[in-house]
């Protein structure tokens, strides 16, 4: 089970090369595995996080609409007119990262992935909790957690 409780955890994560921002005092819930749904696009019950899984099930992008965390620095060369800080993407070949995006995958009519439910398409699974949204590829080879107050990229 992954979790964090203090600045020491942030230092340990930084030393291990794990990106973490806006740490909370809550212990992270474990990912139960096994998709109950096969939504390729969905939103969390709050409507604050929305995701789109690639058609081939090899990657996912999630957007957080309202956030208080500080995203990592923009990529070299910036993002031009595109937005930055709200979109995280990963695939089976690319670790999770914030991406430049002048759009959003959010839409009010997306199905809701209720708290405690898992969806999976191909090699991607996402799990909704009351604290964050967790997504992984290939059973955790790459993963991220995304919420209004924090993110974690593994």
């Amino acid at each position: 089970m992954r979790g964090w409780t203090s600045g020491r955890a942030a230092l340990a994560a930084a030393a291990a090369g794990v990106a973490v921002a806006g740490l909370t005092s809550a212990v992270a819930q474990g990912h139960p595995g096994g998709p109950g749904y096969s939504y390729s696009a969905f939103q969390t019950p709050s409507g604050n996080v929305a995701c789109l899984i690639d058609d081939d099930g090899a990657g996912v992008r999630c957007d957080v609409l309202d956030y208080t965390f500080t995203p990592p620095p923009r990529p070299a060369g910036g993002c031009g007119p595109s937005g930055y800080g709200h979109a995280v993407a990963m695939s089976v070949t690319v670790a999770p990262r914030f991406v430049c995006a002048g759009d959003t995958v959010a839409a009010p009519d997306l199905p809701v992935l209720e708290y405690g439910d898992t969806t999976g398409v191909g090699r991607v699974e996402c799990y909704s909790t009351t604290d964050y949204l967790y997504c992984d590829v290939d059973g955790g080879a790459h993963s991220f957690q995304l919420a209004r107050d924090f993110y974690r990229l593994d």
Side-chain angles (χ1 to χ4, degrees), residues 16-138:
V18 175
V20 179
L23 300 176
T24 76
S25 61
V27 174
Q29 301 172 24
H31 178 244
Y37 298 94
S38 57
Y39 301 142
S40 59
F42 61 91
Q43 61 184 321
T44 58
S46 69
N48 194 45
V49 179
C51 299
L52 178 64
I53 299 174
D54 296 345
D55 289 340
D56 63 0
V60 61
R61 172 181 156 186
C62 293
D63 294 353
V64 59
L65 302 179
D66 179 35
Y67 59 91
T68 60
F69 59 77
T70 301
R74 289 177 183 253
C79 291
S82 295
Y84 180 77
H86 71 281
V88 173
M90 71 177 167
S91 71
V92 295
T93 59
V94 179
R97 73 230 178 269
F98 279 83
V99 295
C100 298
D103 62 354
T104 182
V105 300
D109 60 342
L110 290 177
V112 173
L113 186 64
E114 297 293 343
Y115 299 131
D117 285 346
T118 302
T119 187
V121 175
R123 298 161 71 175
V124 175
E125 283 190 7
C126 294
Y127 175 66
S128 177
T129 78
T130 57
D131 297 324
Y132 57 84
L133 178 80
Y134 170 91
C135 290
D136 70 36
V137 293
D138 287 343

